[in-house]
Amino acid sequence: MEYPRDSYWHNTAGSKSKTSENKDSLEGKKFDLLIIGGGLTGLTTAYLLRNSGFKIGIIEATSIGYGVTGYTTAKITVQHSLIYDYLINSFGLDEAQQYLKANQEGLNLVKTIIQENNIDCDFKEQTAYVYAVDESEVKEIKTEFEAYKKLGIDSYYTENTPLPNNALAAVGVKNQGQFNPLKYLYKLLDIITKSDSCEVYENVRALNIEPHSEGITVATEKGKIYADKVVVASHYPFDDSFGLYFLRLYQDKSYIIAAKTHEEPFEGMYINVNDPIYSMRYQFSDKENVLLLSGGNHRAGEKDNEEESYKELEDFLNKNFKNAEIVSKWSTQDCMTYDKIPYIGHYSNSFENLYVATGFKKWGMSHSAAAALILRNKILKIDDDYSEIFNPSRFTPLQSSKEFLSSVKSIAAGFMKRVAIVPDEILEVKEGEGKIVNYNGKKVGVYKDDKGDYFCINPVCSHLKCGVSFNEAEKTWDCQCHGSRYDIKGNILEGPTVKPLDKVTINLK
């Protein structure tokens, strides 16, 4: 299995526990609860339910730590850029309070798990800030601060920050947190694998879900698994048979640089209001202090040259942090809902024992913990007062319309790639280059490596048949419709697709 480039977390987290032995087949395996996805949402849910009497299975399509959890900026906070004034005006004060409480409970859960299990994950309490760099944005900051006061958030307004760029105003939320997410994830994995109630299998991709009167059957690459209850925590819901999530989500891409700087590290976690977005914080450890700078946001698959996004970050870094040394850089994709609220709860109203958690909108550290709490409560039939706003079956056309129309245009553009004229021929592809070219009158996606070998695919996404394009920065084939990604050979790197690209055989003799 080939993975995207490693993040700073992969290089510093150390080794993880050995998972359950994955033999040639899992055909006929039975669980009370099957969790699809071995990231923070899946493992935290298993952690909360491991002593509830369930036999729990967890399957991960790749390797634990190589999903979204391994590529985050790892801020654990209830401050999700500018969100609370929007929630109050779009949904109501009670609903905004639900959103806040769920994420506060999630933050508290992470702190409790770290403390009770003595997890060494470089956790540090911080104040989270959203800041303005333009006079027109200062009003937005003040408006958000008023929303904080209505909700009772422990916060303050300031016009002084330690940032090197021109931050004019900010609102800070106290007692938030940051950590090394893989050190934390690997410890959760260790606790779960030592539990007699849990089995964790890596490199087992789920293909489809079949609810029926006797339970749920999940078809995987290693055979059919049977369960009474199933949680889909696979980042993007992969089964399009129900729920229509492919019409209700899109993926947004961002880029992260980890760098050593010569300036004194500042305290706090920061993100600005409007594009271009720059998120900044330092990762503190007993070995080094490293700046994490992220930004360059755009819809997945839409950008022709993603090296531009890395260059944008590097230019910002060089301008504001003199002679900084880049130690790692990577990208990540996040599922976004059109109304800005995650889907957490029943996958569909038609199925009582099938659950989902998705659409964390770049704030997965708190949302994943909140989702685990909500899923636990629903599975154990525990009432709470904060889950209703996350109901996946909600209908919010007014709040969703703007983002939905933008997504429709993006999806249409993805389908148009299938009929676009491609003038280049296969012999015009240079070493280290990927292109869609003509070959015997048909479109072929071609990558030519530095040895002169060609790797050819059908440039049509196996998910819902949009056209893919080549990502020069990361040497991947990407789909802009729903964010599926493939390596140069057409193997899956990221879903929602469950099938590789079709390979094409060429003969240049």
Side-chain angles (χ1 to χ4, degrees), residues 323-505:
N323 300 314
E325 175 192 351
I326 296 175
V327 297
S328 183
K329 60 182 181 179
W330 66 95
S331 68
T332 188
Q333 290 186 180
D334 293 275
C335 284
M336 318 288 279
T337 65
Y338 298 131
D339 64 7
K340 304 182 181 181
I341 301 171
Y343 296 130
I344 307 169
H346 287 102
Y347 201 108
S348 165
N349 283 337
S350 302
F351 306 107
E352 176 66 23
N353 293 325
L354 179 60
Y355 308 88
V356 69
T358 187
F360 292 169
K361 199 179 177 292
K362 301 184 184 292
W363 301 103
M365 298 299 95
S366 58
H367 276 320
S368 62
L373 288 166
I374 292 169
L375 294 171
R376 178 205 61 184
N377 292 348
K378 292 193 175 300
I379 289 168
L380 298 181
K381 301 190 182 306
I382 298 171
D383 291 332
D384 64 55
D385 59 357
Y386 51 78
S387 62
E388 183 56 33
I389 192 172
F390 302 99
N391 181 2
S393 297
R394 66 183 181 269
F395 183 60
T396 57
L398 183 62
Q399 296 87 344
S400 303
S401 58
K402 181 179 178 181
E403 293 291 352
F404 178 75
L405 291 173
S406 178
S407 187
V408 168
K409 293 178 182 178
S410 181
I411 291 172
F415 278 108
M416 288 300 294
K417 288 180 179 179
R418 294 184 58 180
V419 297
I421 297 173
V422 287
D424 293 328
E425 298 292 337
I426 194 166
L427 292 176
E428 296 175 23
V429 179
K430 301 174 183 177
E431 291 183 1
E433 185 177 51
K435 275 189 176 182
I436 297 174
V437 302
N438 285 312
Y439 174 70
N440 290 344
K442 294 182 179 181
K443 285 186 179 181
V444 178
V446 178
Y447 177 76
K448 186 178 181 181
D449 69 11
D450 55 8
K451 297 178 182 177
D453 293 327
Y454 291 90
F455 299 90
C456 303
I457 51 90
N458 178 15
V460 176
C461 181
S462 62
H463 177 227
L464 291 178
K465 308 306 179 184
C466 287
V468 298
S469 55
F470 192 72
N471 176 352
E472 197 69 41
E474 297 180 327
K475 309 301 182 188
T476 59
W477 293 102
D478 297 352
C479 175
Q480 78 178 68
C481 290
H482 302 102
S484 296
R485 301 179 68 212
Y486 309 83
D487 67 15
I488 58 171
K489 299 177 182 178
N491 299 317
I492 300 169
L493 293 174
E494 192 163 353
T497 188
V498 296
K499 296 179 181 179
L501 296 176
D502 292 332
K503 292 178 174 59
V504 175
T505 301

Side-chain angles (χ1 to χ4, degrees), residues 291-310:
L291 174 73
L292 297 179
L293 170 66
S294 68
N297 302 1
H298 63 85
R299 288 193 178 223
E302 281 194 347
K303 205 162 194 174
D304 291 334
N305 183 3
E306 295 194 1
E307 285 290 358
E308 294 174 357
S309 295
Y310 283 115

Side-chain angles (χ1 to χ4, degrees), residues 157-174:
Y157 173 84
T158 181
E159 295 180 352
N160 296 299
T161 72
L163 296 181
N165 61 328
N166 184 30
L168 301 180
V171 59
V173 179
K174 302 175 183 178

